[in-house]
Amino acid sequence: MKGVISGLLSICLLAAFSIPKAEAAEKEKMKLAEQSHSAILMEQDSGSVLFEKNSHEKLPPASMTKIMTMILIMEAIDKGKISWNDKIRVSEYAASMGGSQIFLEPGEEMRVEDMVKGIAIGSANDASVAMAEHIAGSAESFVNMMNNKAKELGLNDTFFKNPTGLPAAGHYTSAHDMAIMSKELLKHEEVTKFTGLYEDYLREESEKKFWLVNTNRLVKFYPGVDGLKTGFTNEAKYCLTATANKNGMRVIAVVMGAPSPKERNAQVTSMLDYAFTQFSTKKLYDRHEIVKEVKVQKAEKSKLPVVTSENISLLLKKGETAKKVKTEVNVDKDLKLPVKKGQQIGSLKIYNGDKLITESPVLASETVKKASWWKLFKRTAGQMSKSS
């Protein structure tokens, strides 16, 4: 009996002194974002959550609101509704915005590129409202667009009252939803040309030259950080949605309700360190890469290339190897014509072994219209002659 007890004690002691690395990493992870109200850490391509704390709690986002504002600006550019060189005329209402601003004057005209620079680097409220009015006709209509986009992205913790993040009753989001918005914004890779700048100038050739310094200091002090947006109000406290790219892996870290800028930055730094030391990614597809060709009945073109909507990667713990990776592309049956370029027409599923790890929309690579009866007749006649 003594021998049995002694053996059991030995096993217990061995277990106590040989904690698996995964368990140690898990304990370390629990120490993240201790001085914030809520937080989340997400890998960009897969959308995998690496850490979260109160991530669905509805809180005021302050100027992190502008991430959604920038999404709609980038979409308007992609759709050709506006261009980088368009000049935006500033209304009296836009010029009247308080808080962070680039001191736009009523009637002043500024290019879209400079407006975006003012929003991304300087968190300019006046530029945000000027862009909102130009895209939607009014700030109110733009806010409707923001909320519709939130619904489209499945954001259940979010409701906007303005495009700036200035305090307003009923204006809220969550750390989780901020990460999803950031993931969407980062599909427009050119946005990091602005969010990743530490400093720049507006109106350089005029007497009103204006120096911009990024409110996100990690852009300068943490290697790989190239965005995205800070926020502060007395109600929201100090907030930050940051993104960093190292060795081909991009992560998004969100902190809400930190007590000071120093603490906010320290917490995000720790989260980024955790992501890059514990995980890696294996790139599978680039954004807009062709994954399949499908036949479209009665269309001008009989085949339509199907493309990815975003970069797709496999997330791995450091030291882990990928199992048998399988890809499954499902395209909607009986596509109704016309099919528009960029229209979601199905989904791409990625499996690691038997485990589904990613499901992402796939898009039409081009616009396909219905064929004329004459074209259909010639196609049918050609097929008949080949078969005979």
Side-chain angles (χ1 to χ4, degrees), residues 126-139:
D126 46 3
S128 297
V129 173
M131 287 301 304
E133 291 176 334
H134 184 80
I135 290 171
S138 69

Side-chain angles (χ1 to χ4, degrees), residues 121 194-200 211-228 230 240 242-244 246 265 269 272:
I121 302 173
F194 303 99
T195 60
L197 285 172
Y198 181 69
E199 59 182 349
D200 209 334
W211 184 37
L212 290 169
V213 179
N214 204 320
T215 54
N216 179 8
R217 299 295 188 259
L218 294 184
V219 164
K220 184 174 183 179
F221 297 109
Y222 191 102
V225 170
D226 53 6
L228 276 169
T230 60
L240 173 58
T243 183
K246 280 187 181 181
N265 293 348
T269 296
L272 295 176

Side-chain angles (χ1 to χ4, degrees), residues 188-349:
H188 307 276
E189 294 178 359
E190 63 270 38
V191 79
T192 57
K193 291 192 306 182
F194 303 99
T195 60
L197 285 172
Y198 181 69
E199 59 182 349
D200 209 334
Y201 289 92
L202 295 175
R203 310 182 187 92
E204 258 191 289
E205 305 303 321
S206 74
E207 295 177 358
K208 297 179 180 178
K209 186 175 179 179
F210 189 82
W211 184 37
L212 290 169
V213 179
N214 204 320
T215 54
N216 179 8
R217 299 295 188 259
L218 294 184
V219 164
K220 184 174 183 179
F221 297 109
Y222 191 102
V225 170
D226 53 6
L228 276 169
K229 195 70 203 67
T230 60
F232 170 77
T233 62
N234 289 329
E235 183 186 16
K237 303 303 179 189
Y238 292 91
C239 308
L240 173 58
T241 295
T243 183
N245 192 347
K246 280 187 181 181
N247 302 318
M249 182 172 82
R250 180 176 287 282
V251 295
I252 297 162
V254 183
V255 161
M256 301 183 75
S260 69
K262 183 179 178 181
E263 194 59 58
R264 172 187 68 188
N265 293 348
Q267 290 176 73
V268 168
T269 296
S270 296
M271 291 165 72
L272 295 176
D273 287 345
Y274 171 76
F276 291 122
T277 57
Q278 299 299 316
F279 298 91
S280 64
T281 54
K282 177 183 173 68
K283 175 63 75 68
L284 300 177
Y285 296 102
D286 289 317
R287 187 185 184 210
H288 292 162
E289 184 173 337
I290 296 173
V291 290
K292 191 174 186 176
E293 276 194 338
V294 293
K295 290 184 178 180
V296 185
Q297 298 295 325
K298 299 181 180 180
E300 281 184 337
K301 294 182 179 179
S302 58
K303 289 185 178 179
L304 171 64
V306 179
V307 298
T308 56
S309 60
E310 58 190 335
N311 295 332
I312 296 174
S313 299
L314 181 65
L315 179 70
L316 300 168
K317 286 186 177 179
K318 285 286 179 74
E320 181 186 7
T321 56
K323 298 175 185 176
K324 189 176 180 182
V325 178
K326 295 182 290 186
T327 301
E328 184 181 295
V329 181
N330 298 308
V331 178
D332 300 340
K333 294 178 180 179
D334 303 321
L335 288 172
K336 293 182 180 179
L337 297 171
V339 175
K340 295 182 179 180
K341 181 179 179 180
Q343 178 182 327
Q344 182 178 340
I345 57 173
S347 65
L348 169 67
K349 293 181 178 180

Side-chain angles (χ1 to χ4, degrees), residues 7 81 93 115 136 140 156 203 257 286 297 337 360 374:
K81 187 173 181 180
Y93 177 65
M115 288 281 193
E140 291 78 12
N156 297 319
R203 310 182 187 92
D286 289 317
Q297 298 295 325
L337 297 171
S360 178
W374 177 243

Side-chain angles (χ1 to χ4, degrees), residues 368-382:
V368 179
K369 297 178 181 178
K370 190 173 182 178
S372 65
W373 70 269
W374 177 243
K375 191 161 191 173
L376 289 172
F377 173 76
K378 287 199 298 180
R379 186 182 297 165
T380 304

